[in-house]
Structures are given as C-alpha cells and as structure tokens.
Amino acid sequence: MPTYAPMPCHLETERLVLRPWAGSDAAAFSDLLAERGKGKPPVERIRTSIGELLAATETTGIALLPIERREEGDFIGYAGLIIGRTTLEKPEIAYELFRHAHGHGYATEAAGAVLEAAAATGRKRLWSTVATWNTASLRVLEKLAFERDRVSTEENGEVVWLTRALP
C-alpha cells in the first residue's frame, strides 16, 4: 500500500478556519448532531467522540475538522476526510453544517480546502456518499467536480456514490 503524507490539520480559506478538535467543541458539536432530528447526544459522550476522532487522525493521517467562521469565530460544522464506506487510500470527503450556515457557500469553501489538503497527501482519488434526498450536498459536490459513480440501496434509503480524481 502506498504511503501518504499526513493531512494538514489546520486549513484556512477566505472566510473559514478548519482546525483540530478541542474539548470545548463538545457542546456545539452535540447541538449540530441534534439537528439531525434523532435527539441530542450527551456532551460527555461527544467529548469521548472528539478524543476518538483525534486518536483516529494520529493513526490514519486523515482528519475531520471543525469549521469556524473567521470573523465571527463560531463553530458552524465540520469537514474533512473519513474512511466511511471506502478505504484509507481513497477516503470519503465529509461535511455537515448547522442549518443556519446553509446557503452561504461555506460547505463548498470548506470542502474545497479539504480537497486541496487531500491532494497534498499524495492521494489520487476521493469518494463521497450522499443520500439521494440531500440535493444541497449533491450540488456542493457537483461544484467541486465530483462525478456520479453509482447508486446503492441501504437500510436508510438510496445513496449516491460520487468520485473525483485529484491532481
């Protein structure tokens, strides 16, 4: 298996900062997950999850990073690379934002920074899997030149598999 450089864990764009997780992110991360409509996870459990994310980054060299708006300094979501349904060699790009942050181009901006970071590791391809109903996410990926590969049916419904070659 090829060896990849670690993904940078501090990324900046014109309006956003993506940085490593901190314990102080737990409450906001819990609030974000609550927007999925399946209840609000306890903050202590989220602190444990943050520790697991940091440990996974040490092991894999890829990261899921909190997103802050540069001017406001507020946590609005996360973006990064995960193994997900794929492999460490060809990871998935993932992102999720608070609803109040939708429609401002933040997901596209953050995911674009993650694409650059992924290319800097030496990887040649990324994947993304998105529920067919999530038209906003599919639009973000279209803007970033991801192409549809296939659709699969899973227990929660249909999932679109998209891929993109990296320079």
Side-chain angles (χ1 to χ4, degrees):
M1 183 163 119
T3 303
Y4 299 101
M7 176 182 156
C9 287
H10 189 88
L11 309 172
E12 294 192 22
T13 69
E14 182 181 336
R15 301 179 298 161
L16 305 172
V17 174
L18 287 77
R19 54 152 179 87
W21 291 96
S24 58
D25 295 319
F29 193 14
S30 177
D31 290 342
L32 175 63
L33 297 176
E35 284 195 349
R36 294 177 180 176
K38 297 178 181 173
K40 184 174 176 174
V43 172
E44 266 319 302
R45 185 170 48 170
I46 298 305
R47 275 195 189 90
T48 300
S49 296
I50 288 171
E52 292 166 353
L53 287 168
L54 292 168
T57 296
E58 287 294 317
T59 303
T60 64
I62 62 174
L64 200 60
L65 305 169
I67 304 169
E68 290 181 352
R69 291 188 291 187
R70 185 186 292 275
E71 281 189 28
E72 295 85 346
D74 58 336
F75 173 97
I76 61 166
Y78 63 78
L81 299 177
I82 61 171
I83 294 173
R85 294 175 178 94
T86 58
T87 66
L88 184 57
E89 184 177 24
K90 297 175 187 173
E92 284 192 56
I93 190 168
Y95 47 86
E96 183 175 8
L97 301 177
F98 276 113
R99 286 187 194 116
H100 71 79
H102 290 189
H104 301 283
Y106 297 135
T108 304
E109 191 172 328
V114 171
L115 277 177
E116 289 179 21
T121 71
R123 287 179 169 80
K124 299 298 178 194
R125 179 163 302 283
L126 291 183
W127 286 91
S128 185
T129 54
V130 180
T132 54
W133 58 262
N134 193 341
T135 54
S137 237
L138 292 168
R139 179 71 182 123
V140 167
L141 294 165
E142 179 182 310
K143 290 177 189 175
L144 296 172
F146 275 77
E147 297 178 357
R148 288 179 185 235
D149 183 75
R150 66 184 179 275
V151 175
S152 64
T153 302
E154 299 183 2
E155 63 184 48
N156 293 331
E158 288 189 331
V159 173
V160 179
W161 292 68
L162 303 103
T163 188
R164 175 174 168 180
L166 297 174

